Amino acid sequence: TKKHRVAVIGSGNWGTTIAKVIAENTKANPDLFEETVQMWVFEEEVQIPESSEHFDRGSALCTKPQKLTHIINSIHENVKYLPGVPLPSNIVGNPSLEETVKEASILIFNLPHQFIEKACDQLQGKILPFARGISCIKGIEVSDKGIELFSEWIGRKLGIYCGALSGANIATEVALEKWSETTVAYDPPSMDSSQPSPQGSPKTSQINLGEMSGRAEDSSKKVKMMALPAEYPPLSHENVKKIFHRPYFHVRMVDDVAGVSLGGALKNIVAVAAGFVDGLGWGDNAKAAVMRVGLLEEVKFGKMFFEKSVKTATFTEESCGVADMITSCSGGRNFRCAKMSVEKGMSINEVEKQELNGQKLQGTSTAYEVNGFLKSQGLEDEFPLFTAVYNILEGNKKPEDIPKLLEAPSKYR
Ligand code: NAD
Ligand code: 13P
């Protein structure tokens, strides 16, 4: 029998944290997984900062900037995107996407969403055809054809099944092993757990990847997917959970991929709004009001555009919904940068550049993408908070206008 090889595509703040979680689990479950976890690193030259405990004036590694993969593989720390957190030595930073995914049966996608398209272009034809994916990306794909979940978009692009992981998970807290919960949605067609295919004839199945809103027809969403060969351990909920579950990182498994993906994406817009009102010094009540409306708009968006698959309970009962809303509006990067932009009178993009050392905000781009889609559907007024954030980012409205903007009546409530 074979073991699963897990590869992580991405090595930012969350990408590196999830690689750490997984590498601990591959080591703890040798019956299921190969121990080594390849992690794709978008290569860059990085100087180990003098504040790092690894800084040593006499060491060649510290005298000039080095390749980030070399640093990660030498001192087992991602000094740029997850400084101060020791990484398990079974994580291998790899600058080649193709080598990272070689023979990997489980692919974990964890990149800022603006970079996923290029990565998937490079991955086409390079992955095992029966691989399974999990997207940890908090964002949605918007094109002139409509709006799509990244899990489904990745699945369609690569011809594989892709689930989703999302939760109230500020990366640094998870990396420091402070307890949190997360939600993993994994619901492949039943052939995975059924009979193995006859020798020499890979079992395939045509699956429909849910709905894409704003599209006239769904035919491009049919994916021909190959069954997992019988020599691999089955990817049941129990085994998928073992990829991520740690004593400090509690996984709840669900089937609602759309709800999990949308919660993670849309709360980033709400966190920007929470940052705006906090930046005005309006206090916790104002922030709570923004969160309340934000949660309602998440549910409404899911029900309106992904009605066949989304469950309201995913937003109201799971970590990926209400809990992620709360944590992101308390200490997330979108919240912090939006708050600082109001306090300092700077644009949020300037704050991002100045404060995040290369990390990327997702809330601003998601606000634009969601607005472009809502506009195309004539539904901007139905989502006053999402629309307000877009208009404030565009300079059409001010953070002070938020209470008035949220009063707008709705036709569909
Ligand atoms: P990040 O914000 O740390 O982004 C930086 C990453 O982008 C680095 O790995 C960098 O190498 C890479 N990058 C820069 N330019 C690139 C390019 N041209 N091509 C490819 N990669 C490039 O990233 P992150 O925090 O790991 O975020 C990944 C996803 O995880 C996002 O969708 C985010 O919303 C989600 N998420 C983040 C957190 C968190 O607390 N950081 C928590 C949960 C989920
Ligand atoms: P930020 O990207 O705003 O930091 O949000 C982190 C997150 O998703 C916490 O669950």
Side-chain angles (χ1 to χ4, degrees):
T1 61
K2 286 207 165 218
K3 297 176 183 189
H4 286 288
R5 182 178 292 184
V6 191
V8 179
I9 297 146
S11 52
N13 195 227
W14 187 225
T16 309
T17 300
I18 276 293
K20 172 182 178 291
V21 163
I22 293 170
E24 290 166 2
N25 278 331
T26 57
K27 206 176 166 109
N29 294 283
D31 48 327
L32 291 178
F33 307 115
E34 289 183 13
E35 189 170 314
T36 300
V37 174
Q38 297 283 335
M39 173 175 80
W40 179 58
V41 176
F42 180 73
E43 192 70 288
E44 61 186 293
E45 300 266 321
V46 170
Q47 173 70 53
I48 298 185
E50 284 191 29
S51 56
S52 165
E53 69 163 281
H54 295 283
F55 188 80
D56 170 3
R57 224 167 277 282
S59 145
L61 202 62
C62 300
T63 48
K64 60 175 176 32
Q66 304 284 331
K67 289 200 160 66
L68 184 54
T69 47
H70 181 51
I71 296 175
I72 291 171
N73 295 334
S74 306
I75 61 171
H76 306 294
E77 184 181 317
N78 186 341
V79 292
K80 177 148 185 197
Y81 295 105
L82 194 60
V85 176
L87 299 176
S89 56
N90 54 327
I91 294 180
V92 177
N94 197 325
S96 157
L97 250 180
E98 193 172 337
E99 277 175 32
T100 301
V101 300
K102 207 168 185 180
E103 299 297 316
S105 50
I106 300 174
L107 305 172
I108 311 297
F109 296 88
N110 203 336
L111 287 170
H113 75 280
Q114 55 267 49
F115 305 130
I116 189 68
E117 182 157 7
K118 186 152 177 236
C120 281
D121 283 344
Q122 287 173 257
L123 286 176
Q124 274 179 327
K126 304 291 185 337
I127 62 169
L128 288 179
F130 52 80
R132 297 288 178 261
I134 303 276
S135 164
C136 305
I137 297 164
K138 290 184 175 174
I140 35 189
E141 165 67 18
V142 180
S143 69
D144 53 358
K145 294 189 186 109
I147 190 159
E148 199 173 7
L149 310 172
F150 270 112
S151 42
E152 298 192 333
W153 184 89
I154 291 167
R156 189 162 54 78
K157 187 107 177 163
L158 299 179
I160 60 173
Y161 175 79
C162 188
L165 176 150
S166 188
N169 302 140
I170 298 215
T172 325
E173 293 180 16
V174 178
L176 293 173
E177 304 185 7
K178 298 178 180 185
W179 172 67
S180 70
E181 296 181 306
T182 201
T183 319
V184 174
Y186 189 79
D187 187 27
S190 57
M191 64 176 183
D192 262 16
S193 50
S194 65
Q195 300 302 311
S197 56
Q199 203 73 33
S201 64
K203 203 169 172 183
T204 59
S205 163
Q206 194 98 321
I207 57 163
N208 246 326
L209 285 170
E211 65 270 54
M212 181 200 263
S213 46
R215 277 185 78 100
E217 49 91 28
D218 256 1
S219 60
S220 70
K221 303 207 71 213
K222 288 206 172 69
V223 165
K224 201 164 194 195
M225 198 182 103
M226 205 182 270
L228 193 66
E231 58 265 36
Y232 283 90
L235 285 175
S236 56
H237 269 195
E238 191 191 354
N239 283 346
V240 170
K241 186 170 175 173
K242 286 183 181 157
I243 306 171
F244 301 104
H245 191 85
R246 299 295 301 153
Y248 60 86
F249 191 58
H250 282 196
V251 173
R252 278 167 60 88
M253 297 294 302
V254 300
D255 291 333
D256 180 6
V257 180
V260 170
S261 304
L262 287 175
L266 297 173
K267 65 85 192 171
N268 283 331
I269 309 178
V270 185
V272 171
F276 286 152
V277 296
D278 214 42
L280 291 170
W282 285 2
D284 293 337
N285 296 340
K287 232 166 61 170
V290 161
M291 286 189 236
R292 181 191 73 80
V293 179
L295 194 63
L296 283 177
E297 291 192 17
E298 276 187 7
V299 174
K300 186 171 173 178
F301 193 94
K303 287 281 169 198
M304 218 176 234
F305 304 122
F306 295 86
E307 65 164 318
K308 283 188 218 142
S309 45
V310 130
K311 294 186 184 118
T312 302
T314 309
F315 298 104
T316 54
E317 293 177 19
E318 299 298 339
S319 181
C320 59
V322 62
D324 197 10
M325 178 74 78
I326 294 169
T327 202
S328 296
C329 294
S330 309
R333 299 168 299 184
N334 288 288
F335 166 75
R336 286 187 282 114
C337 289
K339 178 175 173 165
M340 200 178 279
S341 79
V342 175
E343 287 170 343
K344 298 200 167 169
M346 290 161 71
S347 79
I348 191 165
N349 294 337
E350 284 172 306
V351 177
E352 177 185 24
K353 278 202 195 80
Q354 183 182 298
E355 298 294 322
L356 291 188
N357 192 29
Q359 292 181 36
K360 306 284 179 203
L361 292 181
Q362 308 286 280
T364 44
S365 46
T366 304
Y368 276 85
E369 288 153 5
V370 165
N371 183 265
F373 172 70
L374 291 176
K375 236 183 220 137
S376 74
Q377 308 289 304
L379 288 169
E380 272 182 296
D381 292 349
E382 287 301 317
F383 296 87
L385 183 63
F386 296 164
T387 303
V389 172
Y390 164 78
N391 277 318
I392 294 166
L393 291 171
E394 270 291 270
N396 303 331
K397 299 283 179 196
K398 294 197 186 69
E400 291 86 339
D401 298 329
I402 286 178
K404 185 95 193 127
L405 294 170
L406 297 192
E407 273 178 351
S410 160
K411 278 183 274 179
Y412 296 95
R413 281 281 287 282

